[in-house]
Amino acid sequence: MRPPSVDALARSIADIDLPQPLLVDAARAAIAAGDPGEARAIAASTRRALLRPVINATGVLLHTNLGRAPLGFAHAPAYTNLELDLATGKRGSRRAHAGALLARACGAESALVVNNGAGAVLLALAALARGRGVAVSRGELVEIGGGFRVPDVMAESGAHLVEVGTTNRTRPADYAAVAGDVALVLKVHQSNYRITGFTEDTPVEAVAALGPPVVVDLGSGLLDAACPWLPGGPPPWLRDEPAARQTLEAGAALVIFSGDKLLGGPQAGVLAGRADLVDACARHPLYRALRPGGLVLGALQQVALAYLARDRDALPFWRMATAGVDSLRARAAALGAGEVVECASVTGGGTVPGVEIPSAGVALDGDRSAALRAVEPKPIITRVDEGRTIVDLRTVDPADDALVGAALRELP
Ligand SMILES: *Cc1c(COP(=O)(O)O)cnc(C)c1O
C-alpha cells in the first residue's frame, strides 16, 4: 500500500491550530517513522509545547521552569514612545520609563535595565573595571546556576579577580589590604546557599568606607526591607534578605538585581545607584547588546508603578506570597476533590534558601502529575511528595480555581 502524500496527510489534520508548514512537518515525521496515523498526535504535541500559560500548583513561587515570577502583561499591537521625548519631539531614552521609576522606588540616583541579572553583572564589571582589579571575598565566588559563576563572568568582563579573605571568614582588613589596587569591590549575595558555623562576613558599611566603589549583586531584587507595599509589612519568612534601598543607604555605589525574582516582574536585570556609574554602564557598548525591548520595559514599568503606589494586589508575586493560610484552606475545601492538607511553599528561584511559607492545598493519592500536565486549556503543574500529588494553592491564581477543581474531579 502506498503511503499517503505529505500534503494530503497535512490537510487531514488541518483542524489542529498550527500554521501549515508545521502541519507538513508533522505529516513528514509521521511518514518517515512509517506510521502516518501518528501525524495528528505529533502535530498536537507540537501545539501543546508552544509557550503558553500554565497553572503553577507546585507551591514554588519563583519556579525557574515556569518562568519565575507570574507575569500578566499584554497590550494590543502599538507603537510606543520607547525612545521619543513626547514633550520635545526629540530622541528620548529608553531609560526614562522603567529605569527611572525603579530608581525612585529604591531610592537610587539612577537605574538601568538590561536583559537579566547576569548581564547586569557582566556590564557593570566591563564598564567600571575592565583591565583593572575587582576585590571579591572567597566566600562569595558563587555559582548561581545556569552557568553563572562569578570568576567566569569576571574573566569575560575583562576585569581581574582579586580574591580576599577565606571561604568562611572575610574581615574588613582583608578588603583594606587590597583597596588601593582595585577599581571596585564586588559583593555577591549568597542567594542559593548558606555558610554557617565559624563565619564572619564584612557588612557593606565597612567595605564602603575603604574607598573603591562597592557594587553589590543582590540577586533577588527585594526593593525595600520595610516592604511598604505590603499592608502587614515584611513577612517573617523574608528574614534577613538584603534589600536594594537599605544596601544603597549602607554605602553601596551600585546594586544589581533580577527583575523576575523577589521583584516579581519580567526577566530583566537592574543596575541602580550612583548616576555617574549607571551612566558609564549605559555608555558601554555592551549595553547596546544587553538592552531590553519595549515589551520587557513596559511590563517592568507596570511593576515599578505598582511598587510606588504601594499596591500589593497589582504585584501577583507578592499577592500570592502573602495570601493567608486560612484563605488557601477555604479555597482548597471549595475545590471539591482530594483531601485538604497543610503544606509548605517556598520562594524558589535561588532566593531565601531553606525558608518555607506555610500553605494549604489538596493531596491526591498516587502520582497524578502527568495527567494534570495534560489538562486543557491550561496544564496544571504539581509536585509529588511521598506517593501523593500535592496541589498547593498558594501559587494558583484564584481565577483558576474553577478550572483546577473541575480537572481534579474529572481525574480517572
Ligand atoms: C539570580 C542571580 C543572578 C543571575 O540573575 P539572572 O536574572 O538569573 O540572570 C546573579 N547573581 C545573584 C546573586 C543571583 O541570585
Side-chain angles (χ1 to χ4, degrees), residues 68 116-118 144 148 188-189 191 217-220 258 260-261 268 350:
R68 289 194 185 152
N116 53 37
I144 300 302
F148 182 90
V188 186
H189 179 47
S191 299
D217 177 10
L218 291 168
S220 70
S258 296
D260 51 354
K261 294 182 181 172

Side-chain angles (χ1 to χ4, degrees), residues 41-228:
I42 293 172
S45 82
T46 301
R47 169 82 200 137
R48 282 185 55 75
L50 295 179
L51 194 62
R52 60 206 303 236
V54 304
I55 294 173
N56 174 8
T58 64
V60 181
L61 283 153
L62 302 169
H63 197 303
T64 306
N65 299 359
L66 306 182
R68 289 194 185 152
L71 195 54
F73 178 76
H75 65 72
Y79 294 103
T80 65
N81 55 332
L82 182 64
E83 290 194 358
L84 175 71
D85 182 334
L86 287 172
T88 63
K90 298 214 165 65
R91 174 102 188 237
S93 165
R94 68 178 67 204
R95 296 172 55 189
H97 323 287
L101 295 168
L102 285 169
R104 176 73 180 79
C106 70
E109 274 175 27
S110 184
L112 185 69
V113 182
V114 295
N115 277 329
N116 53 37
V121 176
L122 177 67
L123 177 61
L125 294 173
L128 307 176
R130 173 159 289 174
R132 301 161 71 196
V134 176
V136 188
S137 162
R138 290 194 170 90
E140 299 175 3
L141 291 173
V142 308
E143 171 169 327
I144 300 302
F148 182 90
R149 299 179 127 189
V150 170
D152 298 345
V153 175
M154 188 78 72
E156 290 300 325
S157 75
H160 308 308
L161 174 61
V162 177
E163 298 184 19
V164 300
T166 62
T167 303
N168 55 330
R169 308 194 91 184
T170 302
R171 302 188 183 84
D174 296 320
Y175 286 103
V178 301
D181 310 324
V182 296
L184 291 179
V185 175
L186 175 68
K187 285 193 61 70
V188 186
H189 179 47
Q190 299 172 352
S191 299
N192 50 5
Y193 70 104
R194 290 286 180 263
I195 296 177
T196 59
F198 184 60
T199 62
E200 180 171 345
D201 180 28
T202 305
V204 171
E205 285 89 340
V207 188
L210 297 174
V214 181
V215 175
V216 182
D217 177 10
L218 291 168
S220 70
L222 178 63
L223 276 190
D224 185 335
C227 300

